[in-house]
Amino acid sequence: MTRRRIIFGIALAALLQTGLLTQMVVGQVRLLNSPIEAVLKTRPVDPRDIFRGDYVILNYEIENLRSDHVSIEKGLKPGEEVYLTLNLTTPYATPVALSATAPKSLANDQAVIRAKLNWTDNGEQPVTDTDCITCANAFLELPVDSYFVPEGTGTEIEEYRDERALGVIVALNENGDAAIKGLMMDGEKIYETPLF
Amino acid sequence: MLANLYAKRVSRDLDQWVAKGWVTSDNAAAIRRNLDGDETASRLPTIISILGGVLIAFAAMAFVAANWQDMSKGLRLGLLFAAMWATYGIAIWTHLKKWTGFGETALFIGTGLFGANIMLIGQMYHLPSDFSAGMLAWGFGALATAWAVNSRAALIASQLIFLSWFFNDVFAETLQLTYLLPWLATSALAFRLNWAPAKHMTMLGLLAWLLGNVPVLTDMFALGPWEALTAVTFLLTLAWIAAIWGEASGFPFARTAQAYLSFSVVVVLWFTQVADELVASHATLTALTLTIPLTLAAAAFALRSIPHLKLLDKLALAALPALPLLAGFTMSEESGPVLWIIAPLILGLSIWLVALASRQLNRFLVNLGFAVFAAEALFLYFETFGTLLDTAAFFLVGGVLLIAGALILQRMRRRTLPPSQSATGEVAP
């Protein structure tokens, strides 16, 4: 291999990798700068990612939907991306409609979040152990499912799990992309993700 | 020290080989000069410096980890980027100095740092825990390094990363075709560099992809377990036929590919007779019998100009997908596949493998054939004599059968392979 190939080859590979990393950072910073914010109500558990330190797994109440409260589009397929329209109410955002495509227009106090549909019965195999056996059910996975905290503080956050007092501030853009901006407990902001 | 012992031993042997006329004096002198060279000796400082580098890297990581929470995000990002660039700088410098081993180590560490940076940035911005896109980006970064400077270290890293990414996504409910693109890119480089470990990873990656997609394919085509086993055997057999053709046409690595594929076929077929509880359903799709004439046609066409292969070989290859189908059609719900139908066919398969191996002078296939024979004999023994497990007769009969079997196998093996191969283990190309 020539001297030129070695220098330019490795430099090019390093530049490409730097570009990919920069794209990750810029994408998140841009999203965090979005003016659209929603606070989502959670139920966290506290595992430990051996590669990435302490983090809290976040489960949201709006991940389990039922058609008597939320409009669920028929024919949705598990594993596919779906769009959940939210009313930006306080203290927590409330779900309005679940659809396969992003809504064409939104009211001023509405936002949309993109999620993965884990399972739905489309109203054909209703869950029988609830008070509405004719309702369609849908179970989602939101893309903001983990929050990394300073080592050892995960259990402190976990204590709020049973009280359901933990809220996650999520920044959203018009495409439904989401990024965690911070955490709220009892209506007070306790963590905020700095841009840099 | 070991290198010195080895050199002394070879030097002593060389005197005898020259005296016997096996090695010329000139060649013996050339071998001694090579042994006296400093190539082996120079490895020690390389290894020590790699260990030193690893310790320094650990020290840096420990320092950063201890102060990570107190650093601003900007400083953290700066550190991550600086560490990666510094490592690649070292890679350039060592490559220019012709210290290839150090250079490859630096590229490997650089690739690892790139992955660590992805994870750490993911942590800083709370990216999802199921971080499939991050793994994919890591793999492409490693692949870019591998192609840019023909780096073996980065190539093997990228193969492992892409395989991990595939397994991370394999439980999705759709067919995972995307993996084939990076697989092709890494395979092309593996063959271009002609590096055996990467070529083995190519085969392993392909088999993992095929087997990993079986559940999805089963769902997509509404196949039952037996139909799925038949389809997998059919695909593996077609690939095996292609490998036999490739070897006869002089393609490198085709013989090794044969080894992987024949082994996979044998494992799948073996599964058909022990899957009584796991696969408790009948085969229903008679359309899958079409796989038999299709395999026969493929074998007849692809292997038509290979003189040492016989009609029996083509028929046997065509019969492979029939075995799981037959097991599925004849099995009973209570006792699983019918042993007296399947077991003779497995034994027949093992004998045919040995016969095919003798025609191809293929040591792996010989050993595979004998291994299948021995395993099947043992399996049948346990199935038929297993009820006597508490008695001494079980062990006595087993011992006698094993010793007799070993003697028969040894005799058969000697007859199958040419004398030079059975003595040295070498295989004719």
Side-chain angles (χ1 to χ4, degrees), chain B residues 16 23 110 117:
Chain B
Q16 293 177 18
V23 176
N117 289 355

Side-chain angles (χ1 to χ4, degrees), chain A residues 1 3 5-7 9-11 13-18 20-22 24-25 28-29 32 51-53 55 57 78 141 143-151 180 193-196, chain B residues 69 72-74 77 81 84-85 88 91-92 95-96 98 107 110 114 117-119 121-131 137 140-142 144-145 147-150 173 192:
Chain A
M1 229 177 342
R3 188 183 171 84
R5 167 87 185 267
I6 291 166
I7 295 171
I10 296 177
L15 270 175
L16 177 88
Q17 292 178 6
T18 307
L20 285 170
L21 294 172
T22 308
M24 275 177 74
V25 175
Q28 288 303 303
V29 168
L32 288 169
F51 299 110
R52 298 197 279 176
Y55 75 109
I57 282 281
E141 187 180 316
V144 279
D145 64 354
S146 52
Y147 191 88
F148 292 85
V149 293
E151 196 175 332
I180 296 178
T193 308
L195 293 181
F196 287 106
Chain B
Q69 297 300 340
S72 70
K73 264 187 188 168
L77 288 170
F81 283 112
M84 196 176 81
W85 273 93
Y88 283 126
I92 291 175
H95 267 293
L96 290 177
K98 307 279 183 204
L107 286 176
F114 173 56
N117 289 355
I118 290 174
M119 303 300 164
I121 289 173
Q123 178 185 338
M124 275 190 258
Y125 290 98
H126 313 292
L127 295 181
S129 53
D130 178 19
F131 197 26
F140 277 118
T145 310
W147 270 98
V149 281
N150 290 339
E173 292 177 10
R192 189 170 163 227

Side-chain angles (χ1 to χ4, degrees), chain B residues 181-244:
Chain B
L181 283 174
W183 177 82
L184 275 172
T186 51
S187 304
L189 187 59
F191 281 92
R192 189 170 163 227
L193 297 178
N194 195 23
W195 189 42
K199 290 197 281 188
H200 283 284
M201 273 302 299
T202 292
M203 278 309 301
L204 286 172
L206 184 63
L207 287 172
W209 176 79
L210 182 66
L211 297 176
N213 273 314
V214 166
V216 181
L217 284 168
T218 305
D219 282 348
M220 273 177 72
F221 295 103
L223 299 176
W226 291 108
E227 290 90 38
L229 283 174
T230 308
V232 169
T233 311
F234 172 59
L235 293 174
L236 287 171
T237 307
L238 287 186
W240 185 5
I241 291 168
I244 296 173

Side-chain angles (χ1 to χ4, degrees), chain B residues 374-390:
Chain B
E376 186 63 19
L378 206 60
F379 173 70
L380 287 175
Y381 173 66
F382 273 95
E383 283 290 304
T384 49
F385 287 83
T387 49
L388 299 173
L389 192 62
D390 291 336

